[in-house]
Every structure is written in structure tokens, then in C-alpha cells.
Amino acid sequence: MASTSTSLIPLRGHGRKASFSSSPAKTALKKALRFSFSSRSSVVICVKSSSGAVKYNEVVVDEEMDKIRRLQNGSDVRGVALEGEKGRTVDLTPPAVEAIAESFGEWIIKALQKERGRPVEDVTVSLGKDPRISGASLSVAVFAGLARAGCLTFDLGLATTPACFMSTLLPPFAYDASIMMTASHLPYTRNGLKFFTKKGGLTSPEVEEICDKAAHKYANRLTKVSTMLNSPPKKVDFMRAYAKHLRDIIKERVNHPIHYDTPLKGFQIIVNAGNGSGGFFTWDVLDQLGADTFGSLHLNPDGMFPNHIPNPEDKTAMALTRAAVLENTADLGIVFDTDVDRSGVVDNNGNPINGDKLIALMSAVVLKEHPGTTIVTDARTSMELTRFITDRGGHHCLYRVGYRNVIDKGVHLNQDGVETHLMMETSGHGALKENYFLDDGAYMVVKIIIEMVRMRLEGSDEGIGSLIKDLEEPLESIELRMNIISEPKYAKARGREVIEAFRSYIEEGQLKGWELDACGDCWVSEGCLVDSNDSPAAIDAHMYRAKVSNEKNEEIGWVHIRQSIHNPNIAINMQSSVPGGCQLMTKVFRDK
């Protein structure tokens, strides 16, 4: 969803001009913005190693443990792996990664023992990575940690996030678990870990449990990582099998009447991999199926990402892809993020399709196959998208921001008997029921390509963009960011206090015409925060959405406020259906 403007508003705890009444909400907000903290005591610990006792002089154990806990990023682990970012120190170190990998290994062994009701042996775990330059040293730490936990390890090398998950399912591999080392679209200095079992990606509470165990390991032992592994990982070429899996899906579902094995013959498709892991889709999928991929961009992996951020939301990435499509009169352009769990496309007329447009396109495809299905999105999507889905007979469930939240909501709806085939966030993360509820950017593109070929076979030359030609865009849409001026370890708690104060402001009627939004007719209440069914989902970040009306009680738009999982700030999204509506809502938000 495009933003017309972005602003940064620092939240400081010492502003002299702020005045607060004695209402509970304002008292809470005043406390939240003050950022006053209690001190923590220090203790001295000793640990044993092969070289004898090592004494940590005045180690603050809580702080050492917090270093690991703060690496949790929702359902992932992310941190700074290399020097080079102003104001940020390296925190994703080999010792930290080793402790986390060991804790994940222990966690998966325990889960398998519980599932099977007996002790387990030879638990297998694969590791893939994107091309980041920190990947080599951190991979050693992952393998060392998994080995300490007693796991057998397999090295997938350069891989994609969806491929790592599929390595737990596709024979003859079918590993018990997998880890993908990536920081998605973040700078080359960052890195991280994503965790999978055969059931899918781990949840935020599960990753929190693993990080908590790792924090104890990290703080209470001599944290050195050995580069000498007793049992080095076995290298496997899984990406070849994964690419064949995608090719087979296209061939079988297109079922071309003339050239079955080359159903993309006669199509020119341009791929922009952004120097991430997505180049394989060009060589091992499209080329093999007969497509012309001349004009493709940045296919070779380069962990410095020299051309642009590998991100389908990045304007440069989209502009370069658009130019290549128009210059080559191609049928389709594809933009992948670094680890290929997200994608965006450009149609044959050079129109970028991401955000709400990509959700609409996937909705149109899915509703053809599954009429009446429910589609889950995050609560930042537009009212126009809701109309687009409902006009085609679908149901739109608006839910919490965060791709894991959106996907898990779809899983729960299906478990409750509500047919839900598509779950998609505005960032481009999208999952399908038919594909193990996996957010796979390559699989999304496969669905789009199949539909494009079917349209050609049916005699249409309009291109894939014609499926969303009646999608209207919101009149106004903006995003604001408020920085939290705080020590990193307190930022999450301070952000939560501010957001809860915002909720109280509305409930107390201090923002006239503002009302917490129930976000549709699914089992969601209190502004996309609390599930009101019998098994509410855990909250990984606090957020609310409010409907805003004018003096005549006419709805003019909505405001969505949430904690950022990635950075110490609060994100505010606004949309309005009237001219100047976003400016009006922003003024009320700041003044009140």
C-alpha cells in the first residue's frame, strides 16, 4: 500500500511543553513517555571450562540474558551481524547464534519425543542461507549449536526461506526441522534466523521460549564457538529438488495441449532477484519451462546488495523492473525479496503490482478456484480492497499486522470450519492453504504465471493486470513513525504503554468521533488485538485500529497504531476517503 508521506515524531520523556490532566489514560501516557527505570543489581558468577575457572567481573547477568532475548523479532531472530550501522552495535554474534541454535535443537528433540511418546535419535536439521557476507561465520555457529544439542545437520547452502521449510517435507530429504539464515530486506549488516518444523514456521511464543533458554546458556557459560565440528554437516543440493517441485506444479496445472513440458514457450518473463537468493527461479524454473528471460536483473547472489534493497516494496526495485518490462515488451516482471518469501510483479503494461494490488490479484485468482472463500489480511488494507473481494463473492477478514499473525489466523479459521484459502499481508507475505500455509514468494508467482498462461490459452491478450482493473485506490494514505527515545531493552514495554494509553484515550471519549474498530465480521474485536473465541492467539505486538468520523457522524477514514517489531518505534497508518482527511486525523492525534 503506497504512502503519500512519511514522518518521524520522536517520543521523548522530558518535553517541557507537554501537559496532562489527571485522567487515567493521560497519567499512563505520561508515565510511558517519561522513560524512568529502576536499576538492576550486579552479581559475580564463575563458570568451568577446559582451561579451569573463568571469572566474570561484575557481570550483569540480566543484561547478558537480555542481549539474547532482544534478538527475538516476532517469530524470527534478527540482529546486527557486522559493523557499519551508525548507532548500532553488533549483537548477533557467533556465541549468541550458537546458544540459540543449540536451544532450538533441544526444543525440537523435546517436541518430537512428546509427539512420538518415546526417546528420539538421529534428529535431522537443515540450514539454508541467503548471500549475506556474515552467513559463513554464523553458519559455523549454527552447526556447532545443533551438534551440541545432539542433532544431525545438513547444509543446503544458498537457499530460500520457503525451500528450507519444504526440505522438511519433500522426499528423500524430509528433515525433522530447518533453519533459514536471513534478515529479509534489511541491510547487509543484519542477519537472522527463521525456524521451521514439518508443521510450519514457529510461533512468537515458541521463539521466545527458545531465546529464553539460549539467554541462560549465553550468560552462564564461557561462550566460545569451536570452528572444529566433530561431525561436519552433510552438504545437499536441495534447491534443485525444490525447483523441480515448482516446475512440476506449473506443467501439471497448465496442462498445455501442445507443449506440455514447456508451457511458458512464447512468454517473456523478467526476474529482478536483487542479488538475493531468487536467481534460481530464472535458471531452474522459467528457462527450463521454455520462457524467454532476457532482460532479467541482478540474478547473481551478492551479500552486499549493490544495486538496491531486495524488496518488492522498494521503489527502486520496482522502477528498474518496470523499465525492463517496457523496454523488452515482456509479459510479466517479477521482484523477489532476499530470501524469496515475498514477491511483487509488474504487468505487461508496466504497472507495479504490490501491496493491496497484489492481494487483490491473488484474491481474484483464488476466488476463481474457491468461490466464497475467506481471505485474511492485516488491518492496514483499504476499504476498496474489501469491496473488491466481496464483489467477487469472497469474505474479507481483517486481522493484526504481522505476517505470522495473518497466516495463523487463516489456520485457525480453517480449524474452526471457515474455509480460508488465502492469507496475505500488505508487505507481500502471502500464504495459501494448498501450499501448507507457507509464505512463499516463488509459489505466489507460480500461481500468477499459471493464470497468465490459462488466460492466453483462452484467447485473452489483456495480461494479468486486467484481473484488477476495477480495483479502486484509497483517496489518501500515509504512514507516520514515532521514535521511542529509550534504552533498547525498555523500548518494547514503553511502546506498549503508549499504545494502551491511546486505547484508553478513545474509550474515555477524549478523541471525539474516534471509535475502536472491530475490523469486520470475523472473530476479532478490540481493534485487531484480542480474539474473542475460546482459544485466543498470543499477542506479539500491541496494536489498535480506530474508525474516525466528522462532526456530522460521517466516517472519513481510519487510524491504525502498532508497535514495530523490527525497530524501537511506533507505526501509525492512516487512510481517508475525503480530501484532507489524513491531515485532519494527524492534527487531532498530535494536538490531543
Side-chain angles (χ1 to χ4, degrees), residues 248-558:
D248 288 345
I249 290 171
I250 294 175
K251 288 193 290 187
E252 291 168 8
R253 296 186 187 176
V254 169
N255 194 22
H256 201 287
I258 301 174
H259 34 88
Y260 178 87
D261 288 325
T262 54
L264 302 187
K265 187 177 180 180
F267 289 89
Q268 184 173 10
I269 302 174
I270 286 173
V271 175
N272 183 349
N275 301 113
S277 298
F280 84 98
F281 195 80
T282 310
W283 307 309
D284 296 335
V285 179
L286 299 178
D287 288 349
Q288 298 291 324
L289 295 176
D292 175 3
T293 57
F294 179 80
S296 291
L297 305 165
H298 318 318
L299 302 181
N300 293 319
D302 186 334
M304 296 296 290
F305 310 126
N307 294 291
H308 58 73
I309 299 170
N311 183 359
E313 294 183 290
D314 181 68
K315 292 181 179 179
T316 301
M318 272 296 180
L320 290 173
T321 309
R322 178 180 185 273
V325 167
L326 293 175
E327 181 180 347
N328 293 279
T329 60
D331 298 287
L332 186 71
I334 300 167
V335 181
F336 287 127
D337 77 337
T338 314
D339 56 326
V340 196
D341 58 359
R342 295 186 298 138
S343 57
V345 297
V346 175
D347 71 10
N348 60 338
N349 293 315
N351 298 312
I353 301 177
N354 53 16
D356 277 14
K357 291 180 179 179
L358 185 60
I359 299 174
L361 177 57
M362 288 304 304
S363 298
V365 172
V366 169
L367 283 166
K368 282 186 176 182
E369 301 171 347
H370 306 284
T373 191
T374 293
I375 292 163
V376 183
T377 73
D378 65 90
R380 295 171 300 177
T381 54
S382 67
M383 293 177 283
E384 287 77 12
L385 177 64
T386 299
R387 283 194 287 270
F388 181 90
I389 292 171
T390 55
D391 285 349
R392 283 158 179 75
H395 301 278
H396 188 192
C397 173
L398 291 146
Y399 197 54
R400 299 179 195 137
V401 174
Y403 75 93
R404 192 74 253 166
N405 295 327
V406 171
I407 294 171
D408 288 347
K409 181 64 177 177
V411 173
H412 295 151
L413 285 173
N414 279 288
Q415 290 171 347
D416 290 339
V418 180
E419 187 183 69
T420 306
H421 284 273
L422 175 64
M423 303 111 254
M424 204 157 184
E425 197 193 31
T426 51
S427 65
H429 279 284
L432 290 151
K433 179 182 179 181
E434 69 188 49
N435 191 42
Y436 309 100
F437 297 100
L438 172 67
D439 50 320
D440 185 345
Y443 193 89
M444 286 286 172
V445 169
V446 162
K447 293 285 289 186
I448 292 170
I449 288 173
I450 291 169
E451 183 63 27
M452 179 179 71
V453 178
R454 285 174 176 170
M455 291 172 66
R456 178 78 60 85
L457 288 173
E458 292 168 0
S460 173
D461 289 322
E462 285 191 292
I464 203 74
S466 64
L467 295 178
I468 58 170
K469 60 185 178 183
D470 59 336
L471 173 69
E472 297 180 3
E473 296 191 53
L475 184 64
E476 294 185 348
S477 179
I478 65 167
E479 180 177 271
L480 307 172
R481 293 274 176 169
M482 299 194 301
N483 290 329
I484 301 174
I485 310 302
S486 165
E487 291 185 53
K489 63 181 177 180
Y490 300 122
K492 186 174 182 178
R494 299 292 81 80
R496 182 171 63 249
E497 291 174 13
V498 171
I499 290 170
E500 287 301 315
F502 170 82
R503 171 187 175 177
S504 297
Y505 263 62
I506 295 175
E507 291 181 335
E508 294 171 6
Q510 298 194 51
L511 300 178
K512 188 176 180 181
W514 292 46
E515 178 186 358
L516 290 179
D517 193 348
C519 294
D521 58 359
C522 59
W523 294 285
V524 185
S525 62
E526 300 186 0
C528 309
L529 180 62
V530 178
D531 284 329
S532 56
N533 58 11
D534 293 334
S535 55
I539 297 169
D540 58 357
H542 284 245
M543 60 190 77
Y544 295 100
R545 182 170 126 161
K547 292 185 293 188
V548 181
S549 303
N550 59 18
E551 298 83 358
K552 299 178 181 178
N553 204 31
E554 298 168 334
E555 187 173 340
I556 63 172
W558 54 257

